[in-house]
Amino acid sequence: DPKIIQKPKYLVAVTGSEKILICEQYLGHNAMYWYRQSAKKPLEFMFSYSYQKLMDNQTASSRFQPQSSKKNHLDLQITALKPDDSATYFCASSRQGDQAPLFGEGTRLSVL
Amino acid sequence: GDSVTQTEGQVALSEEDFLTIHCNYSASGYPALFWYVQYPGEGPQFLFRASRDKEKGSSRGFEATYDKGTTSFHLRKASVQESDSAVYYCALAQMNYNQGKLIFGQGTKLSIKP
């Protein structure tokens, strides 16, 4: 059974719309992350959270907003979608400080 | 800034061949080094990590040795199988900051002919 659940697996959106990507982990980890994978940049770090607090943000655009409502949740809200946002978004988690991040299966987003 | 370079974009081998995928890094301080493998339609899977000079990481028959002198962490496997076909990523993270913030190389697509 997958321990990091991402929903939905596939998502199609129109330019200018808003979407929320869901991530839940059942590994007991206290750190969670978002990464993006596209044809232009294979795997790119976006955000990291530890104990539900933002630790690092490498995303230049404020259109990307992580949301942590529970300690094992880290959703990603994307507003004013653009075709360039088309990518696969991976959620990952780890035990803060001493463990390699483990990845979910991703949400493949297509913006038309 | 920190970076990871994988020399080979694609590698094509036959079963039982010896595999080497080259990984070099550029980073300040003393980063941890990682190898991940990604199969089609899946997320990257952690293979192994090394955190100090001369440390060897290994898993599933793959291995790599942290070499601070040559700033390298080359992936090797003595005898590949068709099931090893996948994309392999080398990555680094700064130990004293945020170990979940991985900087990945461009990836190497490995194809194994039966």
Side-chain angles (χ1 to χ4, degrees), chain A residues 35 37 48 56 58 97 101 104, chain B residues 36 38 89 97-100 102:
Chain A
Y35 283 78
Q37 185 173 46
S48 65
D56 201 342
Q58 291 296 309
Chain B
Y36 281 79
Q38 187 176 26
Y89 290 96
Y97 174 52
N98 180 356
Q99 289 194 51
L102 296 169

Side-chain angles (χ1 to χ4, degrees), chain B residues 14-26:
Chain B
S14 298
E15 280 196 319
E16 300 184 11
D17 280 352
F18 188 91
L19 168 71
T20 300
I21 297 176
H22 295 95
C23 171
N24 288 89
Y25 69 92
S26 172

Side-chain angles (χ1 to χ4, degrees), chain A residues 68-99:
Chain A
S68 181
S69 59
K70 300 179 189 178
K71 65 179 181 180
N72 67 327
H73 282 232
L74 186 63
D75 300 335
L76 181 63
Q77 180 185 39
I78 314 174
T79 58
L81 279 160
K82 303 177 180 181
D84 266 359
D85 297 331
S86 298
T88 301
Y89 292 82
F90 289 103
C91 177
S93 70
S94 70
R95 194 171 59 226
Q96 176 69 22
D98 66 352
Q99 207 179 55

Side-chain angles (χ1 to χ4, degrees), chain B residues 38-110:
Chain B
Q38 187 176 26
Y39 299 97
E42 299 183 10
Q45 294 179 20
F46 171 67
L47 268 179
F48 55 81
R49 176 181 83 173
S51 303
R52 54 187 180 276
D53 193 23
K54 303 295 185 272
E55 180 180 358
K56 184 164 81 173
S58 64
S59 177
R60 309 184 204 177
F62 293 92
E63 62 179 41
T65 300
Y66 193 133
D67 190 330
K68 189 168 170 60
T70 59
T71 61
S72 67
F73 193 54
H74 305 318
L75 182 68
R76 294 186 166 92
K77 187 175 186 184
S79 176
V80 295
Q81 303 301 313
E82 190 177 0
S83 57
D84 294 328
S85 297
V87 180
Y88 292 81
Y89 290 96
C90 184
L92 70 79
Q94 289 294 350
M95 295 278 283
N96 59 352
Y97 174 52
N98 180 356
Q99 289 194 51
K101 180 182 176 180
L102 296 169
I103 296 171
F104 284 90
Q106 294 290 310
T108 299
K109 183 176 182 179
L110 175 64

